[in-house]
Amino acid sequence: MKVSVNNTTHDLTGIDPSTPLLWVLRDHLNLVGTKFGCGISQCGACTVLIDDTAVKSCIYPISAVGDKDVTTIEGLASDEEELTPLQQAWVDVDVAQCGYCQAGQIMATEALLRENPNPTDADINTALAGHLCRCGTYLRVREAVKVAAKHRS
Amino acid sequence: MTTLDYSDIGKVIPRVLREDETTPTVFTEPQPPIKLDRRQFLKLTGLVGGGLMLSFAPLRKVRAQDGTVFSPNVFVKIDAEGILLYAPNPEIGQGVKTSLPMMLAEELDVAWEDVRVVQAPIDRAYGGQFAGGSMSTPTSWEPLRTAGATARHMLVEAAAQKWQVSADTLSTQNSMVKHASSNREISYRELAADAAKIAVPSRESIKFKDPKQYRLLGKRITGVDNDAIVRGKPLFGIDQMLPGLKYAVYQKCPAIGGTVKSANLDEVKKMPGVLQAGVLEGTGNAMEVLPGVFIIADSTWAAFQAKRALKVEWDENNASKDSWSETVTQASKLVEQAGNRTVDTGDVDAAFAANERQAEGYYKYFFVSHAPLEPQNCTAMFKDGELELWAPTQTPTWGMGPAARAAGIDQSKVKLNQLRCGGGFGRRLYNDFMCEAAAIAKNYPGVPVKLQWTREDDISYDLFRGGGFHKLRGCVDEQGKVVGWHNRHATITGDQGIGSGQFPMGMVDNLRVEHTGIDWKHRCAAWRAPGSNVFGFVLMSFLHELAHAGGRDHRDVLLELLGEERLMNRGGMHTGRAAACVKLATEKAGWTNKKEGRGLGVAFYYSHAGHIAEVAEVSVGDVEGTVTNRQGKSVQKRSLKVHKVTVAADVGPIINLSGAENQVQGSVVDGLSTMVDLAITFENGRVQETNFDKYRMLRMGETPEVEVHFINTGEHSPTGLGEPAFPPLAPAVGNAIFDACGYRVRTLPISEEGFYLV
């Protein structure tokens, strides 16, 4: 079994195909930016893109990825490159408190902005409704989404 | 199987950190925070006696102290390549990894862009390295400014010697020393080697900046880890990777205090990826290791699967039988009986006999869980009799002793690496997860093992905010002044009830508090703004009831109660600062100019040295039929929209405006989330809500607008902001609901009374 993550193909021979994508990313591929929060698709901390769709990787078996492309938070900008406008917006708006949920929020926003470059507040609320921020940074998350939308257009 | 006795499990819980304690800063953890007087501080930080700090524990690029590195104390390190500042306290989302180095940087007079901030190693030289009680800011203010100013002083002296001029003729700015009359300037980095040769000056010779000269403090500075966070770099405890790392889970009895009779270990050991499984008897201390079964596997998922297949027969003789529904029934009787009279001033009975205008209310609040988004975890390696830990904890130094005990070694054999915490809220003050990791690693020596709790573990084995019940009576005189107050309350055992510093002690002439303890086995401890987080709701809601009984404006009654400007006897609440917050919040929120169809509610609370008033603006929908609540009662269903919360806060001068606003906004969101629908219930000793499908936190669409105003009179030192903005929110919203529709909410969460957020 092979899977493409952030434009790199990984051989996953020997890994239980029912393993959720989250744990393959974290334990086997050392991509720990994608977070474990609940394990039942309630908090959104584990969100990644499969092609252009945001999915909760904690309940998504690795066998279901097939030949689609997985993008994680580490795949948005490589270390050497500048941040993407989306990431830069998160930095500039100073969204994070603990920061634990933010990778999931950012990946869900990436999916939103690919589909809807100019989202309204209501669009943002809907797109991010599946994402908990225990620190309560929702106002800044929404602001950062708008700043990112502006910079991408 | 076990010989240890867990029958008294409910009684070993440490006292929580409460601002109304008469003695300061008490966690009764094994190793109390090091509170240094200035002399000790100077000694530890190398500020006396000259020379470089010998116990300095370098990070990363280790460089010999060969005289090219200027490091006059453990917080500052400058060499030809750059300026390093050490953030001493655990980062749990309260922003101290940014704000504490800002204190250093201001007095050091460096350009923030020139600075690299790193997390300090765990070392006694840094003083009390903990994140709790909103204490990081007030306890760091003097030491860090002193450390920064001392380093600046020495850099100036080095330049003076280099240029053969008087130090008085030099100035600093943006990491440079300048000599205006000769138009010369030199960078701190170029001066580092020379500064390293300067004797460390005495504290008395160091001058702090005039706050008017501040270039950094009070500005909006973005978090130093923001770049790493948005790139998904390893930062948090859960992200710790090590060569050969294995993954562990630990199953404890769902009814806390139960011990292991038997388990299907042979079956579990045969499962794919499982490397080891075994029983831990526990340490006999509920704050360390409770009895259970550990499983070690070659991946987290394999460990989780094995945990699911694990079947344990528990001995529940001494286990929790806690039942919330029974407690609710029991408490309603307890508050009808006299309790332990903890406060009794004036003549309460006479006040009630003489004043007919009275109010009475029965308030209650459910248990809640901390539920930080990063479930508890800890990586541990036991090798050659030594233990190394990689832990996301709020109290690294206090965890090391218990972890050593759990591994059966001396604390001197423990090394702890502090990692960023994915939320704290008080949960990570307690290091049971660290102790478990230590005990498991002891059973699998030579290999690093990461213990990972599931979300279900994290909620089930939390140290909860306990539930409570208050029967309040009050009376007002003919002018509507509050003259009698009687609070009879029952809270879980171990909690002391309302302390002598809580509102409105010292403000009402005839005041009585009675308390009764309710036996409880599940562990309860500090939860964001302990005590105040529930008392604030009860007391500041009831005050509104009394204002209403007296036919008066709530704001006026609140200001009247605060009275003349004075510092209250216990705690640091100043009535003048309090009144200023109340006035500003109500003014900014349009208290006298309410919008049609909206309700406004105000509340003030003093906690953790912060004076904070909040005004909520809400609208309440019409009754939409009925809904059955957690107690099985049918209640009227209504929607609640919180449009806006206006906050006026006096926590002294603000260090980082961006971080401070974020803390206040987050506290408002947390306050609303918790008051509306968060509840933990117990039946037969078992927690009933163990994941976010049943423990439903607020989401983005329900978030109100939050307007924040800070008051700084210039007379006070800065205090913390992780907690004090939480307590006023629930009463402000509750009072606004009453203002909007005439219905008084007296239960937390208010979903118990049929309200849901829109």
Side-chain angles (χ1 to χ4, degrees):
Chain A
M1 188 172 47
K2 289 183 176 171
V3 65
S4 166
V5 180
N6 301 335
N7 300 318
T8 305
T9 302
H10 298 272
D11 186 352
L12 299 180
T13 306
I15 294 177
D16 174 1
S18 70
T19 307
L21 174 58
L22 168 68
W23 296 111
V24 173
L25 294 170
R26 291 187 59 85
D27 291 354
H28 300 281
L29 305 181
N30 278 0
L31 294 168
V32 296
T34 306
K35 297 296 193 260
F36 167 56
C38 67
I40 59 165
S41 183
Q42 288 288 311
C43 76
C46 65
T47 301
V48 300
L49 296 191
I50 293 187
D51 286 347
D52 289 333
T53 307
V55 303
K56 309 281 175 66
S57 68
C58 73
I59 58 160
Y60 198 93
I62 190 69
S63 58
V65 177
D67 56 4
K68 298 193 180 83
D69 292 319
V70 177
T71 308
T72 70
I73 187 78
E74 293 93 340
L76 292 183
S78 71
D79 281 357
E80 293 73 26
E81 288 172 18
E82 280 183 18
L83 294 173
T84 61
L86 171 58
Q87 290 166 305
Q88 192 62 49
W90 244 257
V91 171
D92 294 343
V93 174
D94 198 25
V95 175
Q97 285 186 33
C98 86
Y100 194 78
C101 73
Q102 302 297 348
Q105 308 263 14
I106 290 169
M107 296 313 290
T109 302
E110 177 68 27
L112 167 68
L113 295 180
R114 284 184 190 182
E115 192 189 316
N116 177 0
N118 289 301
T120 62
D121 278 12
D123 294 338
I124 299 169
N125 289 350
T126 303
L128 295 178
H131 293 261
L132 292 177
C133 175
R134 176 67 182 84
C135 303
T137 64
Y138 297 118
L139 295 169
R140 289 193 179 189
V141 170
R142 197 162 57 206
E143 176 64 19
V145 174
K146 289 188 208 168
V147 170
K150 204 168 148 191
H151 288 165
R152 278 161 78 114
S153 60
Chain B
M1 163 172 251
T2 180
T3 55
L4 299 169
D5 179 11
Y6 290 91
S7 56
D8 276 347
I9 196 170
K11 300 192 171 64
V12 298
I13 306 309
R15 297 278 298 281
V16 299
L17 182 64
R18 285 243 302 265
E19 69 287 356
D20 61 348
E21 302 280 0
T22 49
T23 47
T25 320
V26 279
F27 292 100
T28 51
E29 285 280 318
Q31 195 184 327
I34 308 164
K35 192 168 164 76
L36 301 174
D37 62 28
R38 205 181 70 214
R39 188 181 152 76
Q40 288 170 308
F41 170 76
L42 294 173
K43 195 174 167 193
L44 281 170
T45 52
L47 296 178
V48 290
L52 294 166
M53 183 65 204
L54 294 175
S55 70
F56 175 63
L59 281 184
R60 297 192 193 176
K61 283 186 182 175
V62 178
R63 207 187 303 269
Q65 299 283 10
D66 58 3
T68 63
V69 181
F70 173 53
S71 183
N73 51 62
V74 291
F75 301 103
V76 177
K77 185 175 165 188
I78 304 173
D79 65 12
E81 287 178 30
I83 300 167
L84 262 187
L85 299 182
Y86 288 85
N89 289 13
E91 176 60 63
I92 63 173
Q94 83 285 44
V96 294
K97 193 172 173 185
T98 304
S99 62
L100 300 188
M102 284 173 70
M103 297 178 188
L104 283 169
E106 181 66 69
E107 290 294 343
L108 182 56
D109 221 5
V110 285
W112 187 246
E113 313 80 79
D114 294 346
V115 163
R116 192 160 71 91
V117 172
V118 292
Q119 187 75 41
I122 299 305
D123 189 321
R124 290 179 71 86
Y126 288 96
Q129 290 176 291
F130 71 98
S134 294
M135 296 288 281
S136 292
T137 296
T139 58
S140 298
W141 178 239
E142 287 299 321
L144 294 189
R145 285 194 308 152
T146 304
T150 302
R152 190 191 76 91
H153 185 104
M154 292 164 75
L155 288 158
V156 168
E157 188 58 36
Q161 290 181 13
K162 193 180 189 76
W163 291 332
Q164 295 293 304
V165 298
S166 162
D168 298 342
T169 64
L170 300 176
S171 64
T172 56
Q173 190 174 353
N174 291 335
S175 333
M176 308 281 283
V177 181
K178 299 182 183 195
H179 187 238
S181 59
S182 66
N183 205 22
R184 280 180 290 185
E185 60 178 30
I186 184 168
S187 73
Y188 286 3
R189 294 191 294 173
E190 291 170 278
L191 282 168
D194 290 336
K197 298 184 188 91
I198 305 285
V200 179
S202 68
R203 168 66 186 84
E204 288 68 28
S205 64
I206 301 300
K207 274 191 204 142
F208 289 148
K209 280 184 182 176
D210 181 331
K212 291 190 189 79
Q213 299 172 313
Y214 285 167
R215 293 183 239 267
L216 191 59
L217 297 190
K219 301 271 192 318
R220 292 177 186 277
I221 300 297
T222 57
V224 295
D225 277 340
N226 281 3
D227 187 84
I229 287 168
V230 302
R231 289 176 189 272
K233 288 195 169 174
L235 270 180
F236 299 91
I238 199 173
D239 299 339
Q240 185 61 46
M241 302 300 270
L242 289 164
L245 181 69
K246 303 303 176 198
Y247 304 84
V249 289
Y250 190 54
Q251 180 66 57
K252 298 180 281 288
C253 182
I256 202 161
T259 57
V260 181
K261 260 196 211 167
S262 65
N264 60 338
L265 294 181
D266 291 340
E267 212 173 297
V268 165
K269 284 180 188 171
K270 285 181 198 143
M271 290 185 67
V274 173
L275 303 166
Q276 184 61 278
V279 173
L280 296 182
E281 192 184 57
T283 58
N285 181 337
M287 304 306 294
E288 296 177 355
V289 182
L290 285 163
V293 176
F294 73 88
I295 300 166
I296 299 170
D298 62 8
S299 72
T300 310
W301 184 242
F304 281 8
Q305 295 291 86
K307 188 163 178 265
R308 252 172 233 161
L310 175 69
K311 292 187 179 68
V312 185
E313 193 189 343
W314 302 101
D315 177 347
E316 296 195 25
N317 275 333
N318 285 328
S320 166
K321 307 280 188 296
D322 293 340
S323 161
W324 176 248
S325 56
E326 285 172 20
T327 300
V328 169
T329 308
Q330 180 196 1
S332 63
K333 293 170 190 149
L334 287 176
V335 295
E336 297 304 327
Q337 304 159 10
N340 176 28
R341 203 174 278 192
T342 55
V343 179
D344 199 9
T345 57
D347 190 336
V348 172
D349 297 328
F352 279 95
N355 294 282
E356 284 178 0
R357 296 162 95 180
Q358 302 185 0
E360 184 176 314
Y362 182 46
Y363 285 79
K364 59 177 178 279
Y365 37 89
F366 282 54
F367 281 69
V368 293
S369 177
H370 295 88
L373 205 56
E374 179 191 17
Q376 307 310 313
N377 65 87
C378 180
T379 301
M381 179 153 76
F382 187 84
K383 195 178 180 185
D384 302 329
E386 298 193 348
L387 178 70
E388 185 162 4
L389 298 161
W390 293 262
T393 169
Q394 294 180 238
T395 54
T397 55
W398 308 345
M400 289 163 77
R405 274 201 296 284
I409 56 174
D410 188 83
Q411 189 178 333
S412 63
K413 303 290 183 191
V414 179
K415 183 187 173 195
L416 185 141
N417 304 280
Q418 171 68 40
L419 299 170
R420 191 182 181 92
C421 300
F425 313 103
R427 175 60 182 88
R428 295 182 217 269
L429 293 167
Y430 314 102
N431 291 298
D432 47 346
F433 58 92
M434 194 195 290
C435 297
E436 289 177 6
I440 293 167
K442 175 80 180 287
N443 278 273
Y444 207 68
V447 178
V449 177
K450 184 194 291 179
L451 170 67
Q452 181 63 57
W453 287 21
T454 61
R455 173 56 54 194
E456 290 78 8
D457 292 330
D458 195 88
I459 296 184
S460 300
Y461 305 105
D462 195 9
L463 297 100
F464 302 92
R465 182 201 81 192
F469 308 82
H470 296 242
K471 185 181 175 185
L472 279 146
R473 295 162 62 226
C475 56
V476 297
D477 66 14
E478 285 178 4
Q479 287 74 44
K481 185 184 176 199
V482 181
V483 289
W485 184 286
H486 182 190
N487 181 354
R488 184 182 277 166
H489 66 307
T491 59
I492 55 122
T493 308
D495 186 71
Q496 307 299 302
I498 286 185
S500 51
Q502 296 274 354
F503 201 88
M505 310 291 175
M507 297 178 197
V508 176
D509 290 342
N510 308 296
L511 191 148
R512 180 178 296 159
V513 178
E514 292 173 75
H515 180 252
T516 305
I518 298 170
D519 280 339
W520 197 264
K521 261 198 170 170
H522 271 269
R523 306 173 298 178
C524 296
W527 193 103
R528 191 178 210 169
S532 302
N533 60 34
V534 282
F535 301 151
F537 168 72
V538 174
L539 305 175
M540 300 314 280
S541 298
F542 189 66
L543 182 64
H544 188 206
E545 295 203 47
L546 283 176
H548 186 70
R552 294 181 59 198
D553 182 274
H554 183 200
R555 176 181 173 277
D556 295 344
V557 172
L558 185 50
L559 291 172
E560 178 180 270
L561 203 61
L562 290 167
E564 63 185 37
E565 290 197 13
R566 67 202 187 282
L567 191 65
M568 299 305 289
N569 288 336
R570 293 209 164 129
M573 181 175 134
H574 187 273
T575 54
R577 294 175 81 179
C581 291
V582 171
K583 286 174 187 165
L584 184 64
T586 47
E587 180 200 319
K588 295 288 182 186
W591 187 253
T592 54
N593 189 23
K594 194 171 60 176
K595 286 182 197 146
E596 184 69 25
R598 302 273 170 97
L600 285 181
V602 64
F604 166 82
Y605 219 71
Y606 170 82
S607 92
H608 295 81
H611 297 74
I612 300 190
E614 297 178 11
V615 176
E617 182 181 330
V618 311
S619 46
V620 176
D622 295 332
V623 174
E624 305 166 33
T626 60
V627 62
T628 305
N629 71 9
R630 291 170 181 85
Q631 300 164 91
K633 283 187 190 157
S634 181
V635 292
Q636 294 186 325
K637 185 180 177 188
R638 288 183 238 220
S639 68
L640 167 68
K641 177 70 188 171
V642 181
H643 300 277
K644 184 176 176 181
V645 177
T646 306
V647 183
D650 182 352
V651 289
I654 297 302
I655 307 299
N656 180 2
L657 185 55
S658 178
E661 276 184 358
N662 212 350
Q663 289 304 307
V664 174
Q665 290 173 339
S667 298
V668 165
V669 171
D670 189 10
L672 186 58
S673 178
T674 308
M675 82 173 288
V676 171
D677 203 19
L678 293 188
I680 296 289
T681 62
F682 304 78
E683 293 308 330
N684 193 28
R686 286 153 166 82
V687 174
Q688 301 297 297
E689 301 80 8
T690 61
N691 207 321
F692 296 136
D693 54 341
K694 289 186 177 166
Y695 194 70
R696 292 184 298 268
M697 296 194 281
L698 177 148
R699 291 172 188 268
M700 183 183 280
E702 300 145 0
T703 306
E705 181 189 344
V706 184
E707 185 179 302
V708 185
H709 301 275
F710 291 113
I711 296 174
N712 177 24
T713 61
E715 300 161 72
H716 308 284
S717 293
T719 52
L721 207 41
E723 295 171 277
F726 183 97
L729 187 279
V733 170
N735 295 342
I737 290 172
F738 183 82
D739 188 48
C741 70
Y743 182 88
R744 171 61 56 189
V745 290
R746 296 195 184 98
T747 306
L748 295 182
I750 62 172
S751 55
E752 284 302 288
E753 304 196 24
F755 288 90
Y756 68 96
L757 269 185
V758 291

